[in-house]
Amino acid sequence: MGGGRQSQPPTSFTLCSIRGSLLSLAILSLVSFTCFSLKSLHINPTSTTPDQEEEEEEDEISDHLYHSAEVFRLNYAEMERKFKVYVYPDGDPNTYYQTPRKLKGKYASEGYFFQNIRESKFRTDDPDEAHLFFIPISCHKMRGKGTSYENMTIIVRNYVESLISKYPYWNRTLGADHFFVTCHDVGVRATEGLPLLVKNSIRVVCSPSYNVSFIPHKDVAMPQVLLPFAFPRGGNDVENRTSLGFWAGHRNSKIRVILARVWENDTELYVLNNRIDRSTGHLLYQKRFYISKYCICPAGSQVNSARISDSIHSGCIPVILSNYYDLPFNDILDWKKFSVILKESDVYWLKQILKDIPDEEFLALHRNLVKVQKHFQWNSPRIKYDAFHMVMYDLWLRHYVIKY
């Protein structure tokens, strides 16, 4: 038998070495290729991609202040791409139509809307591509010329009837795709003399009360803003708000009479049953908005009030003390996140209700209030998400109508 143990053939070791080398080479190549590929994409972790820019824009609205921020964002973007409004060109701009008297005062919202729609990309000169038709009636201008309510009603009726007879668009929907804007009781009274206008078309008004022919799912509540503001927007200045609540005004409604009677002598609620003159007293009325935690907003002779927008602008939590009121942009914004909404019957317990609100809840309401200020600001030129665009968005939500 002889001989020693036979050795392994040299080819076996060589094959294993080659396999190992090939595997290492493959791994090294894969790593090198991946690094080269990533480098070739020029990825910079600090740069902003288009998707990131879109996400940053979404942050403006993607929070709890909206009933559905995602729905609002998507619908708003679609509105900006597609929405077209035809403005009827008829009427004498030197008398009653087309141009309200001024862009200041408590009816400035109407004037700003007229100006903004005229200059916006939403306006079209082609009625066949329009989603809605704007009837540019300015009863405010009629009032400035001393026209009586009876004559205003006649003027409005004649004007609208002339549009109906001259153009084919009203009869296609019986006026459901038409709208008009009025931010004062003069316009409300003058237009209510024409039932087919009030019942069929979209009313954009600053007096959105259910008991004066306002229909929430059809009509639009527009914020009444007193311009120009006496002071800049109020920010996170809660340490200066040493007064619990504030209201001063005329006793021109039942709830205001009760509010003044119950609380005018209170030491924690600053309630006056006569309005502080805005033009005198070193702006005492306006300054009260900036040192109060809560600003009481009771209904007046009409449910609307510039006081709500004054409160929002100054960072004072609005306390809505009014029944039958459709708040501006109520179908978009969650008002409970930045205001206190009460029934008129709560007026007797008003101070205790406000004192029972925890400090952390007040701070949350205030932070949210600052965030929504941009929605209640009229601008020229227009700014994204401002009051004009919010009104246009509400109109966009109502542009789906039946054509006959």
Side-chain angles (χ1 to χ4, degrees), residues 198-269:
V198 173
K199 293 181 179 180
N200 293 4
S201 64
I202 301 168
R203 303 199 311 165
V204 182
V205 294
C206 289
S207 52
S209 177
Y210 303 150
N211 58 357
V212 288
S213 306
F214 184 85
I215 305 173
H217 68 271
K218 176 180 76 71
D219 299 329
V220 174
M222 182 167 68
Q224 186 181 38
V225 182
L226 180 68
L227 294 175
F229 287 112
F231 297 103
R233 289 199 309 196
N236 293 315
D237 52 352
V238 292
E239 67 279 357
N240 298 323
R241 299 185 180 276
T242 56
S243 176
L244 177 63
F246 165 62
W247 176 78
H250 298 299
R251 295 191 293 179
N252 56 358
S253 68
K254 181 179 178 180
I255 184 59
R256 290 187 176 196
V257 170
I258 298 173
L259 176 65
R261 187 178 70 238
V262 174
W263 298 111
E264 64 181 330
N265 295 318
D266 192 81
T267 57
E268 295 178 274
L269 293 179

Side-chain angles (χ1 to χ4, degrees), residues 21-306:
S21 299
L22 288 174
L23 181 60
S24 299
L25 180 62
I27 293 172
L28 181 62
S29 299
L30 180 61
V31 171
S32 300
F33 177 75
T34 302
C35 292
F36 175 78
S37 299
L38 291 174
K39 186 178 181 180
S40 67
L41 291 175
H42 303 287
I43 294 178
N44 184 351
T46 61
S47 65
T48 303
T49 66
D51 288 342
Q52 288 173 324
E53 290 177 356
E54 185 175 345
E55 288 175 2
E56 289 176 2
E57 182 176 308
E58 289 177 21
D59 288 341
E60 292 184 69
I61 59 172
S62 58
D63 58 33
H64 58 287
L65 296 178
Y66 306 84
H67 294 302
S68 175
E70 181 65 11
V71 170
F72 175 53
R73 184 185 68 82
L74 294 174
N75 280 343
Y76 187 98
E78 184 181 23
M79 174 196 73
E80 287 198 311
R81 291 194 308 269
K82 298 180 180 180
F83 198 17
K84 296 298 178 184
V85 173
Y86 180 74
V87 181
Y88 280 109
D90 303 71
D92 182 358
N94 295 318
T95 53
Y96 308 123
Y97 314 112
Q98 305 290 343
T99 309
R101 280 194 293 156
K102 53 188 177 180
L103 294 178
K104 61 182 181 179
K106 62 182 179 179
Y107 302 135
S109 297
E110 178 179 322
Y112 269 97
F113 184 89
F114 272 68
Q115 177 173 301
N116 286 169
I117 190 67
R118 191 179 298 115
E119 299 172 351
S120 78
K121 65 180 181 180
F122 299 116
R123 182 176 182 178
T124 178
D125 293 326
D126 181 3
D128 291 325
E129 73 169 7
H131 298 94
L132 292 181
F133 294 79
F134 178 38
I135 303 174
I137 307 169
S138 178
C139 298
H140 188 215
K141 196 166 187 177
M142 299 185 207
R143 183 186 187 187
K145 292 183 175 292
T147 309
S148 68
Y149 285 115
E150 292 76 13
N151 286 336
M152 286 185 197
T153 300
I154 294 171
I155 291 168
V156 170
R157 182 188 301 116
N158 291 341
Y159 177 52
V160 173
E161 288 178 350
S162 71
L163 297 181
I164 294 174
S165 61
K166 182 177 179 179
Y167 298 92
Y169 308 110
W170 177 282
N171 290 328
R172 295 186 310 179
T173 64
L174 300 181
D177 57 357
H178 286 55
F179 72 94
F180 66 97
V181 176
T182 182
C183 198
H184 49 89
D185 55 353
V186 175
V188 171
R189 289 180 63 177
T191 54
E192 284 187 339
L194 190 59
L196 65 87
L197 181 68
V198 173
K199 293 181 179 180
N200 293 4
S201 64
I202 301 168
R203 303 199 311 165
V204 182
V205 294
C206 289
S207 52
S209 177
Y210 303 150
N211 58 357
V212 288
S213 306
F214 184 85
I215 305 173
H217 68 271
K218 176 180 76 71
D219 299 329
V220 174
M222 182 167 68
Q224 186 181 38
V225 182
L226 180 68
L227 294 175
F229 287 112
F231 297 103
R233 289 199 309 196
N236 293 315
D237 52 352
V238 292
E239 67 279 357
N240 298 323
R241 299 185 180 276
T242 56
S243 176
L244 177 63
F246 165 62
W247 176 78
H250 298 299
R251 295 191 293 179
N252 56 358
S253 68
K254 181 179 178 180
I255 184 59
R256 290 187 176 196
V257 170
I258 298 173
L259 176 65
R261 187 178 70 238
V262 174
W263 298 111
E264 64 181 330
N265 295 318
D266 192 81
T267 57
E268 295 178 274
L269 293 179
Y270 191 85
V271 173
L272 298 179
N273 66 2
N274 289 304
R275 192 181 192 87
I276 302 174
D277 192 336
R278 291 173 182 267
S279 61
T280 61
H282 306 290
L283 301 176
L284 291 177
Y285 177 82
Q286 292 87 339
K287 288 179 179 178
R288 275 284 163 185
F289 284 90
Y290 291 82
I291 63 172
S292 302
K293 289 184 174 182
Y294 300 96
C295 288
I296 305 161
C297 304
S301 56
Q302 292 283 344
V303 70
N304 62 307
S305 173

